[in-house]
Amino acid sequence: MNEPISFFSGFGPKDLWFLAQAAWQTLIISVLSISAGTVLGIFFGWILSESKIAGAITLGFVLDAFRSVPLIIQLVLFYNLFNVVGLAMNPFWAGVIILGVYTSALVANVARGGIEAVGAPMRRAGRSLGLSYLQTMQHVVWPIGLRAVFPSWVGVALGVLKDSALVSVLGHPELLKVARDLITRTQQPLLVLAVAGAFYFALSYPISRYAAHLERKWQS
């Protein structure tokens, strides 16, 4: 008499450890990309909001291109471009660079909205107190404007964390790539994907909760 096949057959503690290591890779890629992209995005947003020259228009066009072209196409093109010219590119750093640039394009739009939300009267008030332009931006515009768009930035960060799964097309062993490999070996797609989804939730949920805590703290 044949014994019933267990739902957990083929999936063991070692597989769970592999997924945990892959989740760590996903976290590293996301943190590096979001951090670099946020800094660049704020700088780009400042240029777009404060400058009306042709350079700002060109920058806006480039950022729109990164926002419009599917991220998976950007990853594949960038990674394979180095192979075409005979240079080796690590899939990890290819993912970090493209995700970082993609994040900067999204954050630039968010930062520009926050900077432009600070009206001229508040800027003139800062200048009337003897603050220079940069001091006014540092002590008046950026704290108020960027705090106002903080929820939008959190949405961008969470989106990039999930989009990091696309780095799997480059072969880097992040969470989705390892999950797909385990599905092929264990033939347990529902279980493996459920565990991978739990890891994504574990990475995302603390960010959203801490962001909500900061918003309540700022409003009090």
Side-chain angles (χ1 to χ4, degrees):
M1 182 177 179
N2 294 330
E3 295 183 359
I5 298 176
S6 171
F7 181 69
F8 295 96
S9 62
F11 186 87
K14 288 185 178 180
D15 300 320
L16 185 62
W17 174 243
F18 288 150
L19 286 174
Q21 290 179 310
W24 175 249
Q25 289 293 314
T26 293
L27 180 62
I28 294 175
I29 292 173
S30 301
V31 169
L32 292 177
S33 303
I34 293 170
S35 300
T38 297
V39 173
L40 285 175
I42 293 175
F43 176 71
F44 293 154
W46 171 53
I47 293 177
L48 293 173
S49 63
E50 297 295 312
S51 178
K52 307 301 180 183
I53 59 176
I57 297 175
T58 303
L59 175 61
F61 176 79
V62 172
L63 295 179
D64 282 337
F66 276 100
R67 285 194 293 263
S68 303
V69 177
L71 183 56
I72 190 171
I73 294 179
Q74 298 180 38
L75 287 166
V76 173
L77 286 178
F78 180 77
Y79 180 68
N80 286 282
L81 178 63
F82 280 85
N83 293 329
V84 169
V85 298
L87 298 176
M89 168 58 71
N90 187 295
F92 173 84
W93 288 112
V96 169
I97 292 172
I98 290 300
L99 277 173
V101 175
Y102 176 74
T103 302
S104 71
L106 299 178
V107 172
N109 200 39
V110 172
R112 177 175 61 178
I115 293 172
E116 292 178 349
V118 180
M122 298 192 68
R123 301 186 185 212
R124 286 197 295 267
R127 300 301 293 271
S128 67
L129 294 175
L131 299 179
S132 65
Y133 170 78
L134 290 179
Q135 289 174 328
T136 301
M137 295 295 296
Q138 179 181 357
H139 298 289
V140 179
V141 178
W142 287 337
I144 297 175
L146 298 183
R147 183 178 297 184
V149 297
F150 179 72
S152 298
W153 176 86
V154 173
V156 170
L158 292 176
V160 172
L161 175 62
K162 291 179 287 186
D163 288 339
S164 66
L166 296 176
V167 180
S168 62
V169 301
L170 305 182
H172 185 71
E174 52 74 57
L175 188 52
L176 182 61
K177 174 67 167 60
V178 172
R180 292 168 59 185
D181 293 342
L182 287 178
I183 290 173
T184 301
R185 186 176 64 79
T186 65
Q187 296 300 307
Q188 293 285 350
L190 294 180
L191 176 60
V192 174
L193 289 177
V195 175
F199 274 113
Y200 276 113
F201 177 79
L203 294 176
S204 302
Y205 186 71
I207 298 175
S208 61
R209 295 308 305 165
Y210 184 67
H213 168 72
L214 285 180
E215 287 185 65
R216 289 193 300 268
K217 183 178 180 180
W218 290 337
Q219 293 174 358
S220 61

